Structure formats: structure tokens, C-alpha cells
Amino acid sequence: MRPGLPTLECCEGLNNVDYSKVDFSVMTLLFDSVDLTDSSFVSAVLCIAFNPLFWNLMARWEHRTQSLTRLFRSPYVACYCLGATILFLNFLRSHCFTEAMKSQPKLEVLDGLLGYYVGMAFVAVGSLFVISSFLALGFFGTFLGDYFGILMEAKVTGFPFSVLDNPMYWGSTTVYLGWSLMPFTEEIYRQKARKSK
């Protein structure tokens, strides 16, 4: 215990917080910038939450029961099928995310070349982590082959795993952040058409 820090007792620790001094302006800015009632936004949030939950539950279920291996009569075929399902869900998530970004309000500060180039930089760095992770792990390493008993000779510790933990997750998140910063070409041409009318 460090001196000078308040002690937070279990279940009563937050009673000492004065909520009247909390600055909610950041949340107000967020809620003004995002249309939470938009169906494409809700679809994107559901896909983003569902995908990793699904594939991790399926992999753990397979590890405990070997049900997919028995169904497909091979751990390799079962892993290929789960990998194909994961890829399909990722395409669906990307589509839902893109549709949500098209329909959400735009921040003027990001609607220009600087926002575009910063977004491109994030996409490039994120893609580097995703692609290099896939190349280091291979198909079975990427798509949870270890849960099917398909093990690599040794744990991968080289780049990008030497730089950060879970580089594929962080890379994917960085790609989506980059996409969200970049103005979409369609929107630019829609604005141009509105101005010319």
C-alpha cells in the first residue's frame, strides 16, 4: 500500500467519490458525434462483440469435446471449416463497420487530407501487424489450430510477437481505427454533388 492513496474497501470504495465533480463533457461530445440509434451502427457493434466471442467459445468447446474433429473426421478439416467461418464473420464485420461509418456524423477536423493520411498510417501499421502475424503463425496457428491439437513446433516469439502481445488483435483494431479516421471516397463525391446542385 502506497502512502497518500485512499484505501478502497470492497463494495464501499466508490462511496467516497464525489460524482458532482465528474466532467461528462467528453461523453457528451461522444454522444453528439455518434448516432447510437442507427441500425448499421448497432449491427457493427454486435458483429464486433460477437466475432471474438464466437470463435473463442467454439475453439474452447472443440478443445474440451473434439466435437468438430469427430464431425469432420479430421482436426485439419475441422480447423479449416472454423477458419472459413471466422473469415466469413470477419468480412461481415468489415461490411457492417463500413456501412456504420458511412451513416455516422463526420467530425470536421478529420474531414480533410490530414485525417486521411493519419488514417492511412494507422491502416498501414495495423496491416503490418496482421499480415506478419499470419505469416509467422500460418493458417492453423492463426485460426486456433492448437485447440484442435495441431501444434507448432515451438511458440512463435519473433516479430511481431517480439514487439507486443496479441499483434493480430491490436493490428486489426488499428486498421479499424484507421478506417474510422479516413473520409470515405463515396462521402466526398456525395458532398461534391450536393455543392454543384
Side-chain angles (χ1 to χ4, degrees), residues 119-135 159-160 167-168 170-176 179:
M120 284 297 287
F122 276 112
V123 169
V125 169
S127 297
L128 173 70
F129 283 120
V130 170
I131 293 167
S132 60
S133 296
F134 182 81
L135 293 175
F159 182 83
M168 192 165 285
W170 284 111
S172 178
T173 302
T174 305
V175 167
Y176 282 107
W179 279 354

mmCIF file of all heavy atoms in Angstrom, residues 119-135 159-160 167-168 170-176 179:
data_model
loop_
_atom_site.group_PDB
_atom_site.id
_atom_site.type_symbol
_atom_site.label_atom_id
_atom_site.label_comp_id
_atom_site.label_asym_id
_atom_site.label_seq_id
_atom_site.Cartn_x
_atom_site.Cartn_y
_atom_site.Cartn_z
ATOM 1 N N GLY A 119 -5.225 8.316 -40.979
ATOM 2 C CA GLY A 119 -5.957 7.061 -41.107
ATOM 3 C C GLY A 119 -5.185 6.040 -41.920
ATOM 4 O O GLY A 119 -5.117 4.858 -41.552
ATOM 5 N N MET A 120 -4.602 6.472 -43.026
ATOM 6 C CA MET A 120 -3.805 5.565 -43.863
ATOM 7 C C MET A 120 -2.605 5.012 -43.094
ATOM 8 O O MET A 120 -2.257 3.839 -43.238
ATOM 9 C CB MET A 120 -3.317 6.285 -45.129
ATOM 10 C CG MET A 120 -4.388 6.462 -46.175
ATOM 11 S SD MET A 120 -5.029 4.903 -46.805
ATOM 12 C CE MET A 120 -3.664 4.364 -47.801
ATOM 13 N N ALA A 121 -1.987 5.860 -42.273
ATOM 14 C CA ALA A 121 -0.845 5.398 -41.473
ATOM 15 C C ALA A 121 -1.290 4.318 -40.491
ATOM 16 O O ALA A 121 -0.608 3.296 -40.337
ATOM 17 C CB ALA A 121 -0.213 6.580 -40.733
ATOM 18 N N PHE A 122 -2.429 4.531 -39.840
ATOM 19 C CA PHE A 122 -2.953 3.515 -38.924
ATOM 20 C C PHE A 122 -3.268 2.221 -39.667
ATOM 21 O O PHE A 122 -2.963 1.130 -39.180
ATOM 22 C CB PHE A 122 -4.208 4.019 -38.197
ATOM 23 C CG PHE A 122 -3.905 4.838 -36.981
ATOM 24 C CD1 PHE A 122 -4.189 6.196 -36.967
ATOM 25 C CD2 PHE A 122 -3.367 4.266 -35.843
ATOM 26 C CE1 PHE A 122 -3.927 6.956 -35.854
ATOM 27 C CE2 PHE A 122 -3.101 5.018 -34.717
ATOM 28 C CZ PHE A 122 -3.379 6.376 -34.714
ATOM 29 N N VAL A 123 -3.887 2.321 -40.834
ATOM 30 C CA VAL A 123 -4.210 1.133 -41.627
ATOM 31 C C VAL A 123 -2.921 0.402 -42.012
ATOM 32 O O VAL A 123 -2.852 -0.837 -41.936
ATOM 33 C CB VAL A 123 -5.044 1.504 -42.874
ATOM 34 C CG1 VAL A 123 -5.141 0.334 -43.839
ATOM 35 C CG2 VAL A 123 -6.444 1.970 -42.469
ATOM 36 N N ALA A 124 -1.888 1.140 -42.407
ATOM 37 C CA ALA A 124 -0.621 0.518 -42.813
ATOM 38 C C ALA A 124 0.040 -0.205 -41.639
ATOM 39 O O ALA A 124 0.465 -1.362 -41.776
ATOM 40 C CB ALA A 124 0.319 1.573 -43.390
ATOM 41 N N VAL A 125 0.114 0.446 -40.492
ATOM 42 C CA VAL A 125 0.744 -0.181 -39.315
ATOM 43 C C VAL A 125 -0.071 -1.388 -38.862
ATOM 44 O O VAL A 125 0.479 -2.456 -38.577
ATOM 45 C CB VAL A 125 0.901 0.848 -38.170
ATOM 46 C CG1 VAL A 125 1.298 0.165 -36.868
ATOM 47 C CG2 VAL A 125 1.918 1.910 -38.553
ATOM 48 N N GLY A 126 -1.398 -1.229 -38.811
ATOM 49 C CA GLY A 126 -2.256 -2.348 -38.412
ATOM 50 C C GLY A 126 -2.132 -3.519 -39.359
ATOM 51 O O GLY A 126 -2.044 -4.685 -38.928
ATOM 52 N N SER A 127 -2.102 -3.227 -40.659
ATOM 53 C CA SER A 127 -1.955 -4.290 -41.663
ATOM 54 C C SER A 127 -0.613 -4.997 -41.525
ATOM 55 O O SER A 127 -0.526 -6.222 -41.702
ATOM 56 C CB SER A 127 -2.108 -3.720 -43.074
ATOM 57 O OG SER A 127 -3.397 -3.197 -43.249
ATOM 58 N N LEU A 128 0.426 -4.256 -41.212
ATOM 59 C CA LEU A 128 1.744 -4.858 -40.986
ATOM 60 C C LEU A 128 1.669 -5.887 -39.865
ATOM 61 O O LEU A 128 2.176 -7.008 -40.006
ATOM 62 C CB LEU A 128 2.772 -3.772 -40.646
ATOM 63 C CG LEU A 128 4.141 -4.292 -40.217
ATOM 64 C CD1 LEU A 128 4.882 -4.916 -41.389
ATOM 65 C CD2 LEU A 128 4.967 -3.167 -39.606
ATOM 66 N N PHE A 129 1.019 -5.531 -38.765
ATOM 67 C CA PHE A 129 0.906 -6.467 -37.645
ATOM 68 C C PHE A 129 0.036 -7.675 -37.997
ATOM 69 O O PHE A 129 0.365 -8.805 -37.647
ATOM 70 C CB PHE A 129 0.376 -5.769 -36.392
ATOM 71 C CG PHE A 129 1.406 -4.948 -35.688
ATOM 72 C CD1 PHE A 129 1.240 -3.590 -35.517
ATOM 73 C CD2 PHE A 129 2.552 -5.543 -35.190
ATOM 74 C CE1 PHE A 129 2.200 -2.829 -34.867
ATOM 75 C CE2 PHE A 129 3.523 -4.794 -34.540
ATOM 76 C CZ PHE A 129 3.348 -3.438 -34.378
ATOM 77 N N VAL A 130 -1.073 -7.461 -38.686
ATOM 78 C CA VAL A 130 -1.967 -8.570 -39.038
ATOM 79 C C VAL A 130 -1.280 -9.523 -40.014
ATOM 80 O O VAL A 130 -1.263 -10.747 -39.808
ATOM 81 C CB VAL A 130 -3.295 -8.046 -39.626
ATOM 82 C CG1 VAL A 130 -4.118 -9.170 -40.223
ATOM 83 C CG2 VAL A 130 -4.104 -7.311 -38.564
ATOM 84 N N ILE A 131 -0.704 -8.985 -41.079
ATOM 85 C CA ILE A 131 -0.087 -9.833 -42.104
ATOM 86 C C ILE A 131 1.145 -10.554 -41.568
ATOM 87 O O ILE A 131 1.323 -11.757 -41.797
ATOM 88 C CB ILE A 131 0.243 -8.997 -43.362
ATOM 89 C CG1 ILE A 131 -1.066 -8.538 -44.020
ATOM 90 C CG2 ILE A 131 1.105 -9.785 -44.332
ATOM 91 C CD1 ILE A 131 -0.892 -7.466 -45.079
ATOM 92 N N SER A 132 1.979 -9.847 -40.819
ATOM 93 C CA SER A 132 3.181 -10.503 -40.285
ATOM 94 C C SER A 132 2.808 -11.555 -39.237
ATOM 95 O O SER A 132 3.482 -12.582 -39.126
ATOM 96 C CB SER A 132 4.160 -9.474 -39.708
ATOM 97 O OG SER A 132 3.570 -8.740 -38.656
ATOM 98 N N SER A 133 1.715 -11.341 -38.494
ATOM 99 C CA SER A 133 1.244 -12.366 -37.554
ATOM 100 C C SER A 133 0.813 -13.609 -38.307
ATOM 101 O O SER A 133 1.161 -14.735 -37.925
ATOM 102 C CB SER A 133 0.061 -11.847 -36.734
ATOM 103 O OG SER A 133 0.431 -10.782 -35.925
ATOM 104 N N PHE A 134 0.041 -13.408 -39.375
ATOM 105 C CA PHE A 134 -0.419 -14.548 -40.167
ATOM 106 C C PHE A 134 0.767 -15.309 -40.765
ATOM 107 O O PHE A 134 0.801 -16.539 -40.747
ATOM 108 C CB PHE A 134 -1.376 -14.107 -41.269
ATOM 109 C CG PHE A 134 -1.900 -15.251 -42.084
ATOM 110 C CD1 PHE A 134 -2.952 -16.020 -41.626
ATOM 111 C CD2 PHE A 134 -1.323 -15.590 -43.305
ATOM 112 C CE1 PHE A 134 -3.434 -17.097 -42.357
ATOM 113 C CE2 PHE A 134 -1.787 -16.664 -44.045
ATOM 114 C CZ PHE A 134 -2.851 -17.417 -43.569
ATOM 115 N N LEU A 135 1.745 -14.585 -41.291
ATOM 116 C CA LEU A 135 2.906 -15.239 -41.886
ATOM 117 C C LEU A 135 3.714 -16.002 -40.835
ATOM 118 O O LEU A 135 4.261 -17.070 -41.118
ATOM 119 C CB LEU A 135 3.781 -14.216 -42.607
ATOM 120 C CG LEU A 135 3.150 -13.584 -43.858
ATOM 121 C CD1 LEU A 135 4.046 -12.486 -44.419
ATOM 122 C CD2 LEU A 135 2.856 -14.638 -44.913
ATOM 123 N N PHE A 159 9.186 -11.390 -34.588
ATOM 124 C CA PHE A 159 8.311 -10.285 -34.968
ATOM 125 C C PHE A 159 7.027 -10.836 -35.569
ATOM 126 O O PHE A 159 7.078 -11.783 -36.338
ATOM 127 C CB PHE A 159 9.016 -9.367 -35.980
ATOM 128 C CG PHE A 159 8.176 -8.180 -36.375
ATOM 129 C CD1 PHE A 159 8.153 -7.066 -35.572
ATOM 130 C CD2 PHE A 159 7.402 -8.197 -37.528
ATOM 131 C CE1 PHE A 159 7.374 -5.979 -35.915
ATOM 132 C CE2 PHE A 159 6.622 -7.117 -37.876
ATOM 133 C CZ PHE A 159 6.610 -6.006 -37.072
ATOM 134 N N PRO A 160 5.908 -10.292 -35.265
ATOM 135 C CA PRO A 160 5.577 -9.131 -34.433
ATOM 136 C C PRO A 160 5.347 -9.472 -32.967
ATOM 137 O O PRO A 160 5.087 -8.587 -32.158
ATOM 138 C CB PRO A 160 4.291 -8.623 -35.070
ATOM 139 C CG PRO A 160 3.608 -9.855 -35.539
ATOM 140 C CD PRO A 160 4.716 -10.773 -35.987
ATOM 141 N N PRO A 167 -0.494 -9.399 -31.455
ATOM 142 C CA PRO A 167 -0.354 -8.411 -32.531
ATOM 143 C C PRO A 167 -1.465 -8.473 -33.570
ATOM 144 O O PRO A 167 -1.780 -7.452 -34.188
ATOM 145 C CB PRO A 167 1.007 -8.735 -33.153
ATOM 146 C CG PRO A 167 1.259 -10.153 -32.785
ATOM 147 C CD PRO A 167 0.605 -10.358 -31.459
ATOM 148 N N MET A 168 -2.096 -9.637 -33.747
ATOM 149 C CA MET A 168 -3.174 -9.707 -34.731
ATOM 150 C C MET A 168 -4.393 -8.934 -34.241
ATOM 151 O O MET A 168 -5.028 -8.212 -35.000
ATOM 152 C CB MET A 168 -3.542 -11.153 -35.049
ATOM 153 C CG MET A 168 -4.434 -11.260 -36.267
ATOM 154 S SD MET A 168 -4.556 -12.910 -36.926
ATOM 155 C CE MET A 168 -2.995 -13.102 -37.743
ATOM 156 N N TRP A 170 -4.369 -6.421 -31.970
ATOM 157 C CA TRP A 170 -4.020 -5.000 -31.963
ATOM 158 C C TRP A 170 -3.935 -4.445 -33.383
ATOM 159 O O TRP A 170 -4.350 -3.318 -33.640
ATOM 160 C CB TRP A 170 -2.692 -4.781 -31.224
ATOM 161 C CG TRP A 170 -2.843 -4.882 -29.749
ATOM 162 C CD1 TRP A 170 -2.356 -5.865 -28.936
ATOM 163 C CD2 TRP A 170 -3.551 -3.983 -28.890
ATOM 164 N NE1 TRP A 170 -2.721 -5.631 -27.640
ATOM 165 C CE2 TRP A 170 -3.445 -4.481 -27.576
ATOM 166 C CE3 TRP A 170 -4.258 -2.809 -29.105
ATOM 167 C CZ2 TRP A 170 -4.017 -3.842 -26.491
ATOM 168 C CZ3 TRP A 170 -4.837 -2.174 -28.009
ATOM 169 C CH2 TRP A 170 -4.712 -2.685 -26.724
ATOM 170 N N GLY A 171 -3.404 -5.237 -34.298
ATOM 171 C CA GLY A 171 -3.319 -4.792 -35.685
ATOM 172 C C GLY A 171 -4.689 -4.586 -36.290
ATOM 173 O O GLY A 171 -4.948 -3.586 -36.963
ATOM 174 N N SER A 172 -5.590 -5.526 -36.054
ATOM 175 C CA SER A 172 -6.951 -5.412 -36.573
ATOM 176 C C SER A 172 -7.647 -4.182 -35.994
ATOM 177 O O SER A 172 -8.308 -3.425 -36.715
ATOM 178 C CB SER A 172 -7.736 -6.680 -36.230
ATOM 179 O OG SER A 172 -9.057 -6.583 -36.683
ATOM 180 N N THR A 173 -7.485 -3.963 -34.698
ATOM 181 C CA THR A 173 -8.077 -2.782 -34.056
ATOM 182 C C THR A 173 -7.518 -1.510 -34.655
ATOM 183 O O THR A 173 -8.254 -0.546 -34.904
ATOM 184 C CB THR A 173 -7.816 -2.834 -32.536
ATOM 185 O OG1 THR A 173 -8.378 -4.036 -32.015
ATOM 186 C CG2 THR A 173 -8.420 -1.635 -31.840
ATOM 187 N N THR A 174 -6.216 -1.496 -34.926
ATOM 188 C CA THR A 174 -5.573 -0.318 -35.512
ATOM 189 C C THR A 174 -6.080 -0.065 -36.932
ATOM 190 O O THR A 174 -6.283 1.083 -37.332
ATOM 191 C CB THR A 174 -4.037 -0.494 -35.497
ATOM 192 O OG1 THR A 174 -3.623 -0.775 -34.159
ATOM 193 C CG2 THR A 174 -3.336 0.746 -35.991
ATOM 194 N N VAL A 175 -6.317 -1.136 -37.685
ATOM 195 C CA VAL A 175 -6.878 -0.987 -39.037
ATOM 196 C C VAL A 175 -8.256 -0.341 -38.961
ATOM 197 O O VAL A 175 -8.564 0.598 -39.701
ATOM 198 C CB VAL A 175 -6.949 -2.348 -39.765
ATOM 199 C CG1 VAL A 175 -7.808 -2.261 -41.023
ATOM 200 C CG2 VAL A 175 -5.552 -2.830 -40.121
ATOM 201 N N TYR A 176 -9.097 -0.831 -38.046
ATOM 202 C CA TYR A 176 -10.443 -0.251 -37.917
ATOM 203 C C TYR A 176 -10.385 1.203 -37.453
ATOM 204 O O TYR A 176 -11.169 2.034 -37.901
ATOM 205 C CB TYR A 176 -11.308 -1.090 -36.969
ATOM 206 C CG TYR A 176 -11.837 -2.332 -37.631
ATOM 207 C CD1 TYR A 176 -11.325 -3.586 -37.320
ATOM 208 C CD2 TYR A 176 -12.836 -2.264 -38.583
ATOM 209 C CE1 TYR A 176 -11.797 -4.726 -37.939
ATOM 210 C CE2 TYR A 176 -13.315 -3.395 -39.218
ATOM 211 C CZ TYR A 176 -12.797 -4.623 -38.879
ATOM 212 O OH TYR A 176 -13.258 -5.736 -39.505
ATOM 213 N N TRP A 179 -9.540 3.163 -40.536
ATOM 214 C CA TRP A 179 -10.710 3.318 -41.402
ATOM 215 C C TRP A 179 -11.647 4.390 -40.868
ATOM 216 O O TRP A 179 -12.233 5.155 -41.626
ATOM 217 C CB TRP A 179 -11.477 2.008 -41.491
ATOM 218 C CG TRP A 179 -10.946 1.007 -42.447
ATOM 219 C CD1 TRP A 179 -9.918 1.167 -43.340
ATOM 220 C CD2 TRP A 179 -11.420 -0.323 -42.611
ATOM 221 N NE1 TRP A 179 -9.726 -0.002 -44.030
ATOM 222 C CE2 TRP A 179 -10.636 -0.924 -43.608
ATOM 223 C CE3 TRP A 179 -12.418 -1.070 -42.009
ATOM 224 C CZ2 TRP A 179 -10.833 -2.226 -44.019
ATOM 225 C CZ3 TRP A 179 -12.616 -2.380 -42.415
ATOM 226 C CH2 TRP A 179 -11.836 -2.938 -43.413
#
